[in-house]
Amino acid sequence: MQSIDPFSYQCGAIESWNEMVSSGIKVLAMSRPLDTREERDALIPFAHDICKRYGTKLYPEDEPFLTDLLPLSYCEGKFSLLFYKADHVIEEYIRLKERKAALVAGRAYFGGNRTQLAVSYGRLLSFDEESIRRYLEENQDREQV
């Protein structure tokens, strides 16, 4: 079996995410988080070309949205690209991040507030309700706030 270099793998994944966003299967897609900004930034020229082809947009994410939806180690300190078609989608993503910051600042980021934020993020990523439930249930690698 022929091996695929990491850059080419990421490029193929970026095209797939953009095809899903363009077709309406997903409203927001996140690339696989990368360990360094340099790794992520090397993909941006390719990602811009793919976005032009699919009529999508990209948002470089330097401060990942940490919720109980995805394992902390998957996202914390990583760099990714978000793909979307409509501006209101990235605006909603930013509002979710701001809502979390307000909850943390108000010492209210626990229980139902914490869970609802993760559920809202899952819905924005177009995960079905069963997948959101399963991700939340299975995730034991959570942020300590």
Side-chain angles (χ1 to χ4, degrees):
M1 175 190 250
Q2 184 177 2
S3 64
I4 300 172
D5 66 276
F7 183 83
S8 297
Y9 174 83
Q10 290 291 340
C11 289
I14 286 170
E15 181 150 8
S16 294
W17 290 124
N18 278 277
E19 184 177 12
M20 284 188 263
V21 170
S22 179
S23 69
I25 294 170
K26 294 182 73 61
V27 295
L28 179 68
M30 178 179 70
S31 70
R32 177 171 292 282
L34 296 164
D35 291 330
T36 69
R37 179 180 282 116
E38 292 75 22
E39 286 177 285
R40 190 269 323 270
D41 288 353
L43 294 164
I44 290 177
F46 175 80
H48 275 300
D49 287 344
I50 293 300
C51 287
K52 285 179 192 171
R53 183 181 317 157
Y54 286 100
T56 57
K57 300 174 184 181
L58 70 88
Y59 180 87
E61 180 56 275
D62 293 341
E63 297 177 22
F65 187 31
L66 305 176
T67 71
D68 293 342
L69 185 70
L70 301 172
L72 182 65
S73 59
Y74 183 73
C75 298
E76 186 178 40
K78 307 278 177 102
F79 302 86
S80 63
L81 295 170
L82 300 175
F83 302 102
Y84 60 99
K85 198 169 186 177
D87 290 338
H88 72 87
V89 172
I90 201 65
E91 291 164 2
E92 177 63 18
Y93 172 79
I94 292 166
R95 278 192 300 275
L96 285 174
K97 287 181 72 174
E98 290 169 347
R99 190 163 101 211
K100 178 188 175 188
L103 288 169
V104 169
R107 300 182 190 270
Y109 184 62
F110 60 89
N113 287 336
R114 186 171 176 148
T115 299
Q116 186 53 50
L117 200 67
V119 169
S120 295
Y121 186 36
R123 288 176 180 154
L124 192 60
L125 289 168
S126 305
F127 293 172
D128 63 56
E129 296 299 317
E130 176 57 28
S131 294
I132 293 170
R133 185 199 60 72
R134 185 173 25 85
Y135 283 144
L136 289 172
E137 185 177 289
E138 293 174 0
N139 182 13
Q140 300 302 309
D141 182 16
R142 295 176 180 216
E143 178 182 32
Q144 300 297 312
V145 181

